[in-house]
Amino acid sequence: MLDFAIFAVTFLLALVGAVLYLYPASRQAAGIPGVPPTEEKDGNLPDIVNSGSLHEFLVHLHERYGPVVSFWFGRRLVVSLGTVDVLKQHINPNKTSDPFETMLKSLLRYQSTGGNVSENHMRKKLYENGVTASLQSNFALLLKLSEELLDKWLSYPESQHVPLSQHMLGFAVKSVTQMVMGSTFEDGQEVVRFQKNHGTVWAEIGKGFLDGSLDKSANRKKQYEDALMQLESILKKIIKERRGMNFNQHIFIDSLVQGNLNDQQILEDSMIFSLASCIITAKLCTWAICFLTTSEEVQKKLYEEIDQVFGKGPITPEKIEQLRYCRQVLCETVRAAKLTPVSARLQDVEGKVDKFIIPRETLVLYALGVVLQDPRTWPSPHKFDPERFDDESVMKTFSLLGFSGTQECPELRCAYMVTTVLLSVLVRRLHLLSVEGQVIETKYELVTSSKEEAWITVSKRC
């Protein structure tokens, strides 16, 4: 269900470490080109840290050694795939579970996964259907929250700098928490409390698998455990309230309750969706607006489509589906921002990619950030060009990578819808403008963000 988690570089490495700890792999390099361990104990960890991020390390590795490369995390072999062609050989569309969901749950100390194939498939479908139902039933909510943000921005003087990342995170947290947990999060204080606890949990998840620093700091460990306990406490309370009751607002938890999952399974799936969707939605909104502020022609064309589809009428779910160019803008945002630069799968059985044998229980990384900038697949890869997605073959490739179509993960599907509603409301009334002289530097985590606050200005459309 979850194709990605959200960690800083050390947390991302911790996630890799957790999988290798949980699923020991062969020491054998299997003849795959790559770098030998820099240190016996840490493998290539010093090289990854010196590169700045796992993504940047993989960029250099694939440039030097080709589409299939290997490196060492501690004493364990990791294989990375860096082109569409080799990914096609490895991806199995019939997989019923995603290892990132398993890894994230293990890092949260959740234990309820591991049923038979039929049970796992049923739970996955229940999760996906829950996302669909909550988006459909909460469309008016998304519209309301978008219009509230519009009113806030309309009240600003045209010269005022708007802290885009901050506003998008707040908007995403409000949207996702109410879709998942309902009217409790109409209370602004509840939203602020959730956002604080959310930040604490994401700042610490998995770090102890890398260096044990969380266990060495009693204060940090207590803050993390308290934050997680508070998040779980509110979820448990809402699960209890929704059992056997009928409410006007259908939320994500309702779908899980109606699917006869037990309380622990509902807690886990609700936690995963809440934590992941908040960050993914916030970053997609942020990057989409950033690109629009620097791409005047794209913003103009998007405005024309919005005006043509809605005219002076209301924004409705049916008409939202007609925003074809808007969807292309979001797809190009995911690609150009390298929104999720790394994904992974565990090698269940010994396999072959290209001419190389991948040993059983090896962690295989999908270097999506490398693939998304490959000029052989994406001509002029550094240009922001939504119209490249006019090509049906390009959309098929994007779907293969898990960013669209049947392979699209539920959290990203949620983010696409929320961002589409927001852009429809904002671009209809506002020009979105960049701040002169601002350079936005990128921080490559498992969900890519800006290193510092991204600032914009806005002006009213005539």
Side-chain angles (χ1 to χ4, degrees):
M1 298 172 196
L2 186 65
D3 249 352
F4 24 68
I6 303 90
F7 305 133
V9 59
T10 52
F11 306 151
L12 176 121
L13 295 171
L15 189 61
V16 176
V19 173
L20 296 175
Y21 173 79
L22 293 168
Y23 304 99
S26 170
R27 176 70 171 164
Q28 182 185 1
I32 298 172
V35 289
T38 303
E39 296 181 2
E40 179 66 22
K41 181 180 178 182
D42 294 331
N44 298 110
L45 174 59
D47 303 320
I48 296 169
V49 172
N50 289 336
S51 296
S53 70
L54 179 59
H55 163 68
E56 289 159 302
F57 172 74
L58 293 177
V59 169
H60 299 316
L61 205 59
H62 283 287
E63 284 178 350
R64 182 174 179 182
Y65 293 103
V68 183
V69 300
S70 66
F71 64 96
W72 298 90
F73 189 88
R75 295 182 172 90
R76 311 294 183 178
L77 175 69
V78 182
V79 173
S80 177
L81 307 180
T83 67
V84 170
D85 287 341
V86 295
L87 283 174
K88 284 179 179 178
Q89 297 175 45
H90 193 263
I91 290 173
N92 179 0
N94 298 315
K95 281 280 186 183
T96 58
S97 65
D98 192 298
F100 270 122
E101 178 203 354
T102 303
M103 288 186 284
L104 184 53
K105 287 184 176 180
S106 72
L107 294 171
L108 289 167
R109 304 298 194 268
Y110 291 158
Q111 303 294 328
S112 76
T113 53
N116 62 43
V117 172
S118 178
E119 289 173 349
N120 290 339
H121 180 73
M122 180 275 293
R123 189 171 173 185
K124 179 184 178 183
K125 293 302 294 182
L126 192 62
Y127 187 99
E128 293 173 345
N129 292 339
V131 175
T132 300
S134 60
L135 285 170
Q136 291 173 343
S137 61
N138 289 282
F139 185 86
L141 166 69
L142 299 179
L143 194 57
K144 172 177 171 289
L145 294 174
S146 299
E147 289 172 344
E148 287 176 357
L149 183 63
L150 170 66
D151 291 341
K152 184 175 183 176
W153 286 8
L154 282 169
S155 71
Y156 292 162
E158 291 195 357
S159 60
Q160 181 164 331
H161 292 187
V162 179
L164 181 62
S165 301
Q166 176 186 327
H167 283 198
M168 292 303 95
L169 180 59
F171 169 75
V173 170
K174 286 180 183 178
S175 300
V176 172
T177 53
Q178 291 189 52
M179 284 196 299
V180 174
M181 293 173 277
S183 58
T184 297
F185 285 87
E186 291 175 4
D187 183 342
Q189 290 302 311
E190 289 288 349
V191 174
V192 170
R193 192 176 300 114
F194 178 92
Q195 188 168 329
K196 179 182 178 182
N197 289 327
H198 177 282
T200 300
V201 170
W202 275 121
E204 297 291 2
I205 279 180
K207 187 171 175 60
F209 281 99
L210 181 68
D211 58 14
S213 63
L214 185 60
D215 288 328
K216 295 174 184 176
S217 172
N219 185 51
R220 273 177 49 196
K221 187 173 183 179
K222 185 177 187 306
Q223 289 178 345
Y224 167 77
E225 290 176 346
D226 286 349
L228 183 59
M229 183 177 67
Q230 289 182 49
L231 291 175
E232 290 181 341
S233 178
I234 188 65
L235 280 169
K236 289 176 181 177
K237 178 175 177 287
I238 292 170
I239 291 166
K240 184 177 180 181
E241 289 174 352
R242 306 298 287 201
R243 280 205 179 276
M245 300 289 287
N246 292 317
F247 295 86
N248 292 331
Q249 180 192 17
H250 183 90
I251 60 176
F252 178 73
I253 285 177
D254 291 335
S255 294
L256 304 185
V257 169
Q258 293 164 9
N260 295 319
L261 298 181
N262 63 47
D263 284 359
Q264 182 62 27
Q265 291 172 323
I266 297 172
L267 172 67
E268 292 176 7
D269 287 354
S270 299
M271 180 70 79
I272 297 296
F273 183 68
S274 300
L275 292 178
S277 293
C278 283
I279 295 299
I280 294 165
T281 299
K283 300 311 178 188
L284 181 61
C285 289
T286 300
W287 284 116
I289 292 175
C290 280
F291 285 126
L292 289 174
T293 64
T294 58
S295 307
E296 185 177 340
E297 284 303 311
V298 173
Q299 187 175 166
K300 179 174 180 285
K301 186 169 180 178
L302 178 60
Y303 168 74
E304 289 171 350
E305 179 182 68
I306 290 169
D307 185 57
Q308 180 182 0
V309 170
F310 298 116
K312 297 185 181 301
I315 295 173
T316 63
E318 295 75 22
K319 288 189 174 181
I320 279 283
E321 297 297 328
Q322 299 174 31
L323 296 176
R324 184 171 181 269
Y325 186 69
C326 184
R327 181 55 181 255
Q328 292 178 342
V329 168
L330 296 185
C331 288
E332 180 66 347
T333 297
V334 170
R335 189 204 66 80
K338 302 176 285 292
L339 191 68
T340 58
V342 181
S343 183
R345 289 200 182 277
L346 188 70
Q347 189 72 30
D348 297 328
V349 296
E350 182 178 275
K352 186 176 182 181
V353 172
D354 204 3
K355 60 185 178 182
F356 304 109
I357 301 297
I358 301 178
R360 179 175 176 269
E361 293 181 343
T362 298
L363 183 69
V364 180
L365 298 184
Y366 294 175
L368 298 176
V370 176
V371 175
L372 291 171
Q373 298 291 296
D374 186 346
R376 292 166 295 185
T377 304
W378 317 94
S380 303
H382 301 295
K383 178 183 179 182
F384 186 74
D385 180 17
E387 293 184 24
R388 71 173 77 242
F389 287 94
D390 279 333
D391 188 331
E392 186 177 340
S393 66
V394 172
M395 285 302 299
K396 285 182 179 179
T397 297
F398 209 58
S399 178
L400 172 78
L401 300 176
F403 297 124
S404 185
T406 57
Q407 300 300 306
E408 178 181 289
C409 83
E411 293 80 14
L412 184 57
R413 179 154 49 88
C414 173
Y416 279 144
M417 176 57 77
V418 176
T419 310
T420 300
V421 174
L422 179 65
L423 291 182
S424 298
V425 170
L426 295 180
V427 174
R428 201 180 192 189
R429 297 284 304 279
L430 295 171
H431 291 282
L432 306 172
L433 307 167
S434 61
V435 171
E436 187 175 352
Q438 177 180 222
V439 177
I440 298 178
E441 295 186 25
T442 304
K443 180 168 62 176
Y444 293 107
E445 305 170 341
L446 276 187
V447 170
T448 302
S449 62
S450 58
K451 288 184 178 179
E452 305 291 341
E453 179 59 81
W455 298 91
I456 66 166
T457 62
V458 299
S459 65
K460 299 173 187 176
R461 290 189 182 274
C462 298

